[in-house]
Amino acid sequence: MFENITEDRGQVGIGTLIVFIAMVLVAAIAAGVLVNTAGFLQATAEDAGQQSVNKVTNRVDVVSAHGIVNASDPKTVDNVNLTVRLAAGSGSVSLNNTSIKYLSADTATTLTNNNSVTADNIDWTNASPSEFAVSKIADDDTSFPILNGQADRFEIVINTSVVEGSSKNGLQTGESVTLEITSRNGGTSQVILTMPQQLAGKSDGDPVAL
């Protein structure tokens, strides 16, 4: 007598097996792509975040500003002097790698540091209209011209007679100039300076508050 077999049996053809293996391979490849993409996005986000932090923190603060009178006719302010320090929480900022966007009613230009000389001994008669100079006020560790401590104080000097051109001999009374100081990392500080409404009684070389 033949024995009746009641158990269910399944058979898998070679085609079904190939499809199954293909599905496993596709899933593995997709998982690898997702992992790589996630890693790339994370690294990009970290870099973007660090750059954003640098732009906010790695910059200078303008502590004070004054001008120097040019007693030509009419009298003008032909030097703008800015005392700068590190902004709170900022890393080191080199003024050699810092640029200043200069914008007045008649002139728009970008200035860079003439790092071959200091503001104390620069010859402005031969200076370029696209440069500023720097001098040291306080620097505990001789890092000049790199601001690397909250106690450091440097002075940025812009000769407006050179930048504006000899026809103006500087900035006239009541005129304003906007300065955007940008560090190498992109941190920017802006200051708007307005010249005094009158310079009567002022002599050549006198300082005036801005």
Side-chain angles (χ1 to χ4, degrees), residues 63-126:
V63 180
S64 62
H66 71 275
I68 301 298
V69 173
N70 180 339
S72 58
D73 187 18
K75 292 182 179 179
T76 62
V77 173
D78 70 351
N79 265 17
V80 170
N81 298 39
L82 309 174
T83 300
V84 296
R85 66 177 180 186
L86 286 178
S90 174
S92 298
V93 173
S94 171
L95 295 186
N96 282 345
N97 299 319
T98 295
S99 62
I100 300 177
K101 183 177 180 180
Y102 179 106
L103 179 63
S104 68
D106 300 308
T107 303
T109 188
T110 298
L111 313 177
T112 56
N113 182 22
N114 182 343
N115 52 30
S116 61
V117 293
T118 67
D120 302 319
N121 55 20
I122 188 172
D123 179 10
W124 288 114
T125 58
N126 295 315

Side-chain angles (χ1 to χ4, degrees), residues 2-207:
F2 294 100
E3 181 181 355
N4 292 328
I5 300 173
T6 59
E7 297 90 349
D8 292 333
R9 292 184 178 182
Q11 292 182 340
V12 177
I14 189 66
T16 304
L17 183 60
I18 292 173
V19 171
F20 173 74
I21 294 173
M23 291 176 62
V24 172
L25 290 175
V26 169
I29 293 172
V33 171
L34 288 174
V35 170
N36 289 337
T37 302
F40 172 76
L41 291 175
Q42 180 181 0
T44 303
E46 290 176 352
D47 290 343
Q50 185 60 51
Q51 291 174 8
S52 298
V53 169
N54 288 339
K55 287 184 179 181
V56 172
T57 59
N58 286 359
R59 60 185 183 86
V60 301
D61 275 342
V62 177
V63 180
S64 62
H66 71 275
I68 301 298
V69 173
N70 180 339
S72 58
D73 187 18
K75 292 182 179 179
T76 62
V77 173
D78 70 351
N79 265 17
V80 170
N81 298 39
L82 309 174
T83 300
V84 296
R85 66 177 180 186
L86 286 178
S90 174
S92 298
V93 173
S94 171
L95 295 186
N96 282 345
N97 299 319
T98 295
S99 62
I100 300 177
K101 183 177 180 180
Y102 179 106
L103 179 63
S104 68
D106 300 308
T107 303
T109 188
T110 298
L111 313 177
T112 56
N113 182 22
N114 182 343
N115 52 30
S116 61
V117 293
T118 67
D120 302 319
N121 55 20
I122 188 172
D123 179 10
W124 288 114
T125 58
N126 295 315
S128 166
S130 61
E131 67 184 17
F132 62 89
V134 182
S135 63
K136 177 173 61 178
I137 297 176
D139 183 15
D140 292 339
D141 58 4
T142 65
S143 63
F144 179 82
I146 299 174
L147 290 161
N148 63 357
Q150 289 297 324
D152 291 351
R153 297 288 187 277
F154 298 157
E155 186 171 64
I156 294 174
V157 181
I158 300 171
N159 189 300
T160 58
S161 289
V162 174
V163 177
E164 294 283 341
S166 58
S167 61
K168 286 191 64 177
N169 290 322
L171 293 170
Q172 299 180 3
T173 56
E175 286 191 308
S176 295
V177 60
T178 300
L179 304 174
E180 290 186 1
I181 308 170
T182 303
S183 68
R184 180 178 183 178
N185 289 322
T188 300
S189 299
Q190 184 185 85
V191 59
I192 300 175
L193 304 174
T194 301
M195 304 304 109
Q197 293 298 322
Q198 57 87 23
L199 294 173
K202 297 292 183 180
S203 301
D204 193 57
D206 283 351

